[in-house]
Structures are given as C-alpha cells and as structure tokens.
C-alpha cells in the first residue's frame, strides 16, 4: 500500500480534472500499462502539461525519473482524494425513468456510492425491487435515514416536489444531496449540495453549436 | 418580441450560471412574477450580486429602474444565448437503461434538443419504440446522419465501445457530441464535445462529504 502525504485542500476545478484523469488512468490500468507521465496524460487529454503536473501534486505522490507515475499508485491516490476507495450508502428519491436508470447504473459503485434504498409515492413502485434495490414509500425516509445513518440523498423527483423532498431529508439528518431535479433548491449552508448539471452541460453544447453554425 | 443587442462571446462559467438563473426565472415565470432584479436573483441563489449583474449583461437586455428585469425578456434572452429558443435534432446511441431514461426525459425539449432516433446493436431493441422514438441498428447511422442532416449525437454506450461510436458519427458528419459514457474520447479539434460529467459532480460531492466527516 502506498503512503499518502498530508493532502492540501483540493480546489473544485482540480477535483473535476482529477475525475477525468482517473478515467484515462483506469483505461491504462486495464490495458496493463505500468507507468505514465503527466506529459503523456496531458497529450492524451489535450491539456496543458503544467496544469496536469500541478493537479497531480494534490495526490501527494511522486513520479519516477524517466518513467513517470506508477499507474496503480496514481489510481489509488486520486480515488483517495475523491473518497472513492470508501463507499457511502445513499438513498435515492424518485424512482421514475431517470431514477431507475441511476439505480441500474453499476458504475457508481466504483465511485464510492452505494444506493441502498429507493423511495417514491407511486403505489405501483412501492415494495418492488429495481436493479435489486427495494423501493419504499417516501414517508419511511425520516425513520430510515436515522436508523441506517445514511448521509447522501439523490434527488430524482420532478421539479415541483424537489424542495419538499430536500427539506424532508435535511430535517432528518442527511448531510449531502445530489440533485437531478431541474430546479434550484435551497439548503442550509452546512449541507453539501451538488447539482448533476445535465442542463448546464447541454447549454454549453447547444451554445457552442449555434456559434459554430453561425460561423459557417 | 424584444430586440437583442449584438452579443459578446459568453465565457463557459457564465453559460453555466445562466442555465441556473434560467431555472429560477422559469419558476418565477410560472408563478406569474413580472420583474426581478439581479440582487434578488443573487439572494435566491446565494451568489454575489455583482457576479449576477455581470452575467446578465451578456443577455444584452437592460433592467428597469426600481423594477429590475422583465422576467419574460430575461427568460427569452437567456434561452437565446443557450440557443434553446431553437430546436436541434439529435441521435442517441446506446438504448440501455441510461439511454432509455434520456429518451424519456421530456425536459430536454425545452432545452433546444429533440431526439429523433435511437440506435443500438441489441436485436431485442431494434425496431421498437422507446418513449415514442424508434430504435435502429447502429449500422444505419452513416446513412441517416447525412439524410436527416443531424448535427448532435448523444453517446450512452458502454465505455468499451464509446470511441468506436464517436468515430463513426464524426466520420459521417456529426458536429457536436454529448458524451455520457464514463470514458475520455478523442475527437478532431473542430468537433464540439461535452461530457455529461456525472462522475465529476459525484466526485465533488463525495470529496466534500469526506472532508466534512473528517472535520467532525
């Protein structure tokens, strides 16, 4: 096991790039590559090598002269920063089409997230298992958050009920929310909220495409 | 119809915030509010009022003294920057659970995106309709991109086939790609690519939660 130095607080843009490096490093690990340099990562991803080197300093591990970083070490260290070597239990609320896709999305397990229960108000869903995860009525949330000490809530309900569901989870002790509802929700300042930002990503794409088409 | 001044090139961070303002403005529009100031938007969203004012300058519209911006104008102008007043046709490749959720996600229609066909290699899906969108075999992509002049491709295939599907679409004239595959894909520099960044968003959440738990 590698030894990690004391890690400085990692800026958000660095965290975002680290998740992207991780996907490249994961591919290299699968293809049995042993070492990679920050310059090689920069070339693969079309980024500035200085930027990549600075970002990788946050992992606290050092490369070997001429070889670069040991892939296994880098993989472990980035996952450590993201807290993906541990797994946190999560509740998902709203088991409609998007919620069901997330329940079935195996990959989150390698990203430190294990969804242990789903919640909905639709009687046709309650009591069923989706991707082997049981769906309960929303009114079970208060009791189960406390009993199972769950810290992460995933919000997949329609915009109109998102704030109510968020309030219910926060009131019962949830610490972090991942919001897929296409709406701004308010939370107390000590609660972590991340918006899944699908529409932000789409907005950048459609804006750039319009610019490109105008330029023709 | 409001008149838009010549719009300056909009930075990416501004575009991201504009999509978030739009969701607040959309809620206000539904609740029949007529005017809003940049300070009020900043308060609702917990942002710096100066930042919000600067961002809204990119819309090219002016507020009224004491009233602020006309909600309808602001709504229209932000959608104009994002190119969400127009609709672009898109193809979706990979009609598994995530692909099916996206096919059924009505909201993208108000974000300038209309998915007109899906593609897969699974014989059980080909010829079926999902959320009223027909699924074709992937080998129809080259012909249909050209015939229907489709510019946007949505990639929902597994990581292992993402690069092949991206290459196929780029070779046949797609201009912009929205990538949901959890992998880095390479595209020529003139092709627009946006990663849906679910794992980036999750990485920030799990990192912050770990820091919070450590601080207890």
């Amino acid at each position: 096991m590698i030894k990690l130095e004391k890690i400085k607080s990692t800026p958000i843009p660095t965290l975002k790039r680290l998740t992207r490096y991780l996907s490249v490093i994961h591919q290299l690990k699968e293809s049995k590559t042993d070492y990679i340099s920050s310059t090689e990562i920069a070339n693969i991803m079309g980024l500035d090598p200085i930027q990549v080197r600075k970002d990788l300093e946050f992992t606290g591990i050092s490369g070997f002269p001429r070889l670069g970083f040991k892939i296994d070490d880098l993989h472990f260290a980035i996952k450590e920063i993201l807290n993906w070597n541990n797994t946190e239990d999560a509740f998902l609320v709203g088991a409609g089409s998007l919620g069901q896709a997330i329940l079935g999305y195996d990959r989150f397990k390698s990203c430190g997230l294990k969804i242990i229960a789903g919640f909905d108000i639709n009687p046709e869903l309650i009591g069923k298992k989706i991707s082997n995860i049981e769906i309960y009525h929303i009114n079970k949330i208060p009791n189960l958050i406390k009993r199972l000490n769950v810290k992460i809530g995933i919000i997949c309900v329609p915009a109109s009920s998102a704030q109510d569901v968020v309030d219910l989870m926060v009131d019962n002790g949830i610490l972090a929310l991942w919001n897929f509802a296409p709406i701004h929700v308010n939370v107390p300042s000590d609660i972590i909220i991340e918006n899944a930002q699908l529409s932000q990503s789409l907005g950048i794409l459609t804006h750039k495409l319009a610019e490109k088409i105008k330029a023709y």
Side-chain angles (χ1 to χ4, degrees), chain A residues 17-208:
Chain A
R17 283 188 298 270
L18 286 173
T19 62
R20 294 177 56 203
Y21 303 157
L22 188 64
S23 85
V24 169
I25 291 161
H26 184 77
Q27 287 166 249
L28 292 167
K29 191 172 145 78
E30 302 258 292
S31 71
K32 309 283 180 203
T33 308
D34 289 330
Y35 291 89
I36 187 143
S37 69
S38 48
T39 310
E40 286 169 302
I41 295 176
N43 288 344
I44 293 171
M45 307 193 67
L47 292 172
D48 176 5
I50 296 169
Q51 176 77 77
V52 176
R53 200 166 63 236
K54 280 190 184 166
D55 288 338
L56 295 182
E57 280 173 12
F58 285 94
T59 62
I61 63 166
S62 312
F64 294 87
R66 282 182 306 145
L67 286 168
F69 297 96
K70 204 159 180 261
I71 295 265
D72 285 345
D73 292 357
L74 205 52
H75 192 260
F76 180 87
I78 294 177
K79 288 187 81 172
E80 194 67 17
I81 292 182
L82 300 172
N83 196 31
W84 288 0
N85 290 319
N86 297 312
T87 305
E88 285 290 346
D89 290 343
F91 281 170
L92 178 141
V93 192
S97 64
L98 185 63
Q100 292 187 18
I102 292 171
L103 289 171
Y105 200 48
D106 267 348
R107 198 180 123 76
F108 292 144
K109 282 170 200 153
S110 67
C111 303
L113 190 77
K114 187 182 175 200
I115 304 172
I116 59 167
F119 298 87
D120 207 290
I121 50 166
N122 181 349
E124 286 178 25
L125 292 173
I126 292 156
K128 281 207 175 146
K129 286 194 170 188
I130 294 170
S131 301
N132 226 19
I133 297 163
E134 187 152 351
I135 311 300
Y136 300 89
H137 192 280
I138 279 185
N139 65 19
K140 303 271 187 211
I141 288 178
N143 181 14
L144 287 177
I145 286 181
K146 287 166 191 157
R147 183 140 63 93
L148 301 174
N149 190 25
V150 169
K151 300 186 187 75
I152 299 178
I154 306 172
I155 310 298
C156 299
V157 298
S160 56
S161 41
Q163 186 67 55
D164 288 344
V165 167
V166 164
D167 292 346
L168 178 70
M169 297 190 98
V170 169
D171 288 347
N172 287 285
I174 215 89
L175 295 181
L177 291 158
W178 198 16
N179 181 34
F180 284 82
I183 197 170
H184 172 78
V185 289
N186 292 306
V187 292
S189 60
D190 61 331
I191 301 296
I192 297 159
I193 182 152
E194 266 297 310
N195 293 296
Q197 304 173 326
L198 287 185
S199 59
Q200 285 187 24
S201 167
L202 180 57
I204 295 167
L205 182 120
T206 51
H207 169 84
K208 285 184 180 171

